[in-house]
Amino acid sequence: MFEAGLLAIATIAAPAAVPRDVHSYAETDKVVVSAVALDLAVDFDRRELAGTAELALDWKDTGARVLVLDTRDLSIEAVDAIDAGGAAHATRFSLRKRDPILGAALEIRLDTPAPRVRVRYRTSPDASGLQWMTPAQTAGKQHPFMFSQSESIHARSWVPLQDTPSVRFTYTAHLAVPKDLRAIMSAPNDTRHPLDGDFRFAMEKPIPSYLLAIAVGDLAARATGPRSAVYAEPSVVEAAASEFADTEKMIATTERLYGPYRWDRYDILVLPPSFPFGGMENPCMTFATPTVIVGDRSLVSLVAHELAHSWSGNLVTNAAWKHMWLNEGFTTYVENRIVEAVYGKAQADEEFILAADELQGELDETPKPDQRLVPDFDGRDPDDAGSDFAYTKGAWLLRTLEASYGRDTFDAYLRGYFDHFAFQSITTDTMLAYLDENLIRKNPGHMTLADVKAWIEQPGVPREAVVPKSPRFEAIAGTRAEWLAGKRRADSLDAKSWNTQEWMYFLDGLPKKLSAAEVAELDAAYHLTGAANAEIARRWYLVAIRNDYKPAREAMAAYMTRIGRRYLVVPLYEALAKSQDGRAFAREVYAKAKPGYHPLTRASIEKALNPKKQHD
Ligand SMILES: [Zn+2]
């Protein structure tokens, strides 16, 4: 493989050929898609999108006559080349053999380097990037619901395109949907759009393919600020608007730190509980899990995270998935800065310590090469290869740089970085060259380039990593130790005043094995079984599984059936799978819950329940 970083520097000087991405069949050194026009009908009965995608092409190699697009499980019905005069000519195409990770390349043979091609196609009911839900699977139970999740390489399961973050394009879309339902996309949306079955969208900023997004359902909208709103099913929208009421405060805070918000509106779509992720930073429209709506805004760091992506990720984008720390590490750092500015340093430090502790806990289980910030993703599914290292270790590096150079210097540097690389896709080498020139050489006597490279290239977390202190956590650790030593009763723990993060810290720090009496005493004092707060419940059920506490099972099964967010349910399946009895219980729960799960969640759970199949 050639050195992608060096070519990327050339790309910035003059947008020419784009280096090839191992997770895409696109020959980006020959031709690059610059705009996409979708015209699609959304058919809930057939569970498919059907229509056309017209791609504008920027030929880098004018001698080239083949356009290779990424697809997964698409039925391609026709391909037309569109000439400069707008006339369409049917053209030859073929689908290559399907690869389990990459899908099937669509090879289009052209007589001339046409300025545009139009592909007529339909999606599969099992498209990996779409979830189709029956009315029974929604909160309102009246209407069906569908949504996309394109990151990392699932856009190709609903649009034939160059599915690599190294390519950016603008897009328009015309959607025909059932009347009474609202369609939304990762583009400016209008809260007052009539429900007439006919929706049009235009994203005028160039985005990478993984930020293409669509959702259709019975969606109401509530404004949360001058440029923000919440979209959700009608029964959820009020609670969501109240939980996310600080959105404008967060946008304004981030603008003060890192420059203007460049995407016009920042809306949030609250999805049904089966959404496999916490949030997805689709531009103009974050997709979010309802599991962060807990009534006290204690889990809105999720919004801070997705909003932060408007700078790190959506504006400055990793050019290939092995560089995902450029998206996620930078975003996790910015997220923490937003939480600090809006909710205070104590809260921000608590959140960082929880993440850092979790990362330390993963050091033993994660192969050393995967603890590097740029691991080897070749031949691997980027959905499986990503880890907390990209997020937490990446953020930890930036936190350590901030401590070394001082906040004022580092903030100014980071703001300049976002401006310099705005609307570009870059590699780690490009980032490092800019860091060296603009931070390290200009401010001698602090962290060196070699120090930074050690973070990137070495496993683990370097010893100079800066760790904040939390007096509240220290007090909780003290009372936890007293309870474990039998010096206090569970109901005297002062836990009534704990926030979500403090409960998480308390539960995370319990020893692996507790006595049956201790587990029962905690549950009796705080009713942790059936806890409404999904983060607290997740941790409690892990305690219950480790200690074979059967009274938690019924509520645990209900939790695992209701929620499809991978971070919340997959660890429970993994923990259950460690014992024979637990695995039998987990299989029973999965059989009932499976119809409501997203394809990505199903895949993760099936791996957890059948570990031998993992490395086929
Ligand atoms: Zn993220």
Side-chain angles (χ1 to χ4, degrees):
M1 212 189 81
F2 55 85
E3 183 47 67
L6 295 174
L7 279 166
I9 292 170
T11 305
I12 288 151
V18 173
R20 289 197 188 183
D21 173 352
V22 297
H23 289 111
S24 169
Y25 288 114
E27 297 173 344
T28 47
D29 45 347
K30 294 183 180 154
V31 57
V32 171
V33 171
S34 60
V36 174
L38 300 172
D39 195 334
L40 296 170
V42 179
D43 187 333
F44 280 97
D45 293 333
R46 300 171 67 113
R47 298 189 162 210
E48 70 175 24
L49 305 178
T52 57
E54 192 170 304
L55 313 179
L57 303 172
D58 179 3
W59 292 89
K60 307 297 177 188
D61 174 356
T62 48
R65 294 292 181 271
V66 179
L67 169 66
V68 182
L69 300 177
D70 294 299
T71 74
R72 183 186 287 128
D73 304 329
L74 297 182
S75 303
I76 308 295
E77 294 168 348
V79 181
D80 286 336
I82 317 274
D83 66 26
H89 310 272
T91 189
R92 287 170 298 157
F93 66 91
S94 60
L95 275 177
R96 288 191 209 144
K97 188 172 174 287
R98 185 187 192 277
D99 176 89
I101 295 173
L102 301 178
L106 170 61
E107 209 174 273
I108 299 169
R109 298 196 165 273
L110 299 158
D111 298 330
T112 58
R116 283 178 293 153
V117 296
R118 185 164 55 221
V119 182
R120 176 166 294 283
Y121 70 100
R122 50 187 72 235
T123 60
S124 156
D126 302 315
S128 63
L130 301 176
Q131 187 175 12
W132 298 89
M133 305 177 71
T134 62
Q137 290 164 345
T138 66
K141 314 282 182 210
Q142 301 298 313
H143 299 278
F145 196 103
M146 69 82 62
F147 65 88
S148 67
Q149 168 58 37
S150 297
E151 191 181 6
S152 308
I153 54 171
H154 300 285
R156 65 190 66 178
S157 76
W158 63 284
V159 182
L161 40 54
Q162 291 181 315
D163 196 9
T164 164
S166 63
V167 171
R168 311 181 78 94
F169 54 85
T170 57
Y171 79 85
T172 60
H174 174 223
L175 301 180
V177 307
K179 285 204 171 111
D180 302 332
L181 297 188
R182 185 184 298 278
I184 60 113
M185 288 193 80
S186 54
N189 286 264
D190 176 6
T191 57
R192 290 156 308 178
H193 195 294
L195 303 182
D196 57 3
D198 188 278
F199 286 79
R200 284 175 196 277
F201 302 89
M203 169 47 88
E204 289 166 355
K205 312 266 162 72
I207 60 160
S209 55
Y210 74 91
L211 295 178
L212 261 185
I214 179 177
V216 180
D218 180 19
L219 294 167
R222 289 284 179 284
T224 54
R227 51 183 158 170
S228 62
V230 166
Y231 291 76
E233 284 195 71
S235 65
V236 179
V237 76
E238 297 298 344
S242 150
E243 200 80 25
F244 302 142
D246 291 330
T247 301
E248 174 57 29
K249 220 187 276 180
M250 288 188 181
I251 304 171
T253 296
T254 323
E255 288 186 309
R256 260 198 312 279
L257 286 168
Y258 305 117
Y261 179 74
R262 306 196 197 209
W263 304 90
D264 186 19
R265 290 196 58 86
Y266 180 77
D267 296 332
I268 300 172
L269 169 66
V270 178
L271 290 161
S274 69
F275 183 52
F277 295 99
M280 178 61 213
E281 63 271 24
N282 298 315
C284 304
M285 181 69 80
T286 281
F287 283 17
T289 173
T291 60
V292 296
I293 301 172
V294 289
D296 62 3
R297 298 180 196 169
S298 62
L299 297 176
V300 294
S301 62
L302 180 100
V303 174
H305 181 95
E306 305 313 331
L307 172 66
H309 271 305
S310 306
W311 284 261
S312 41
N314 299 6
L315 191 63
V316 182
T317 307
N318 53 216
W321 291 111
K322 69 175 181 175
H323 299 289
M324 72 182 285
W325 84 279
L326 295 177
N327 280 17
E328 298 302 346
F330 278 66
T331 290
T332 304
Y333 171 80
V334 171
E335 164 201 337
N336 203 254
R337 294 294 305 274
I338 299 171
V339 170
E340 178 183 326
V342 177
Y343 300 103
K345 187 164 161 40
Q347 169 95 9
D349 285 349
E350 286 185 355
E351 291 185 5
F352 182 77
I353 292 168
L354 285 169
D357 284 353
E358 195 154 342
L359 188 75
Q360 300 280 15
E362 284 167 20
L363 285 174
D364 289 340
E365 304 157 15
T366 309
K368 288 244 180 332
D370 286 348
Q371 298 181 11
R372 297 172 300 173
L373 281 179
V374 187
D376 186 2
F377 272 29
D378 289 17
R380 299 164 78 181
D381 186 336
D383 285 345
D384 298 336
S387 74
D388 280 356
F389 287 84
Y391 290 73
T392 308
K393 184 179 170 183
W396 215 339
L397 165 57
L398 298 197
R399 187 180 259 267
T400 304
L401 278 166
E402 181 205 311
S404 172
Y405 285 89
R407 181 166 275 193
D408 288 348
T409 302
F410 190 65
D411 284 359
Y413 163 76
L414 204 50
R415 181 177 177 150
Y417 166 86
F418 291 135
D419 281 342
H420 184 79
F421 293 113
F423 299 107
Q424 295 181 31
S425 301
I426 66 170
T427 64
T428 300
D429 282 350
T430 307
M431 185 287 279
L432 279 176
Y434 185 83
L435 180 85
D436 189 35
E437 191 182 331
N438 294 284
L439 185 70
I440 296 176
R441 285 170 195 260
K442 283 187 183 160
N443 304 278
H446 302 278
M447 265 176 100
T448 65
L449 188 61
D451 296 333
V452 177
K453 282 189 169 164
W455 274 82
I456 290 168
E457 291 160 9
Q458 300 297 320
V461 178
R463 227 172 294 145
E464 78 266 17
V466 176
V467 189
K469 281 202 177 313
S470 164
R472 295 272 302 163
F473 276 6
E474 281 165 18
I476 288 167
T479 51
R480 184 174 54 209
E482 285 173 14
W483 172 65
L484 288 166
K487 292 180 191 157
R488 266 172 179 275
R489 288 169 22 156
D491 57 12
S492 77
L493 285 179
D494 192 27
K496 296 271 180 320
S497 67
W498 291 353
N499 65 16
T500 303
Q501 285 70 30
E502 289 157 359
W503 264 111
M504 287 158 71
Y505 182 76
F506 175 82
L507 294 169
D508 281 351
L510 288 173
K512 290 245 176 312
K513 283 284 164 208
L514 294 171
S515 71
E518 284 169 330
V519 180
E521 187 194 352
L522 265 186
D523 200 14
Y526 300 106
H527 308 293
L528 293 162
T529 297
N533 184 308
E535 284 275 7
I536 294 172
R538 169 191 189 258
R539 284 161 167 82
W540 173 248
Y541 293 141
L542 287 172
V543 171
I545 294 165
R546 283 201 302 266
N547 294 286
D548 199 24
Y549 178 62
K550 296 266 175 25
R553 282 212 172 165
E554 195 183 326
M556 194 194 310
Y559 175 93
M560 293 161 76
T561 309
R562 184 172 60 84
I563 296 171
R565 183 178 169 192
R566 293 196 306 179
Y567 157 82
L568 292 176
V569 297
V570 175
L572 303 185
Y573 281 100
E574 286 171 345
L576 284 164
K578 285 182 182 159
S579 76
Q580 209 172 355
D581 166 67
R583 198 175 320 123
F585 170 72
R587 289 216 167 104
E588 235 170 78
V589 175
Y590 181 57
K592 286 198 193 110
K594 186 179 172 185
Y597 284 145
H598 188 279
L600 288 170
T601 305
R602 289 183 193 174
S604 302
I605 292 170
E606 282 167 18
K607 261 181 203 161
L609 294 179
N610 307 296
K612 279 194 210 88
K613 286 192 182 161
Q614 196 160 350
H615 301 293
D616 276 353

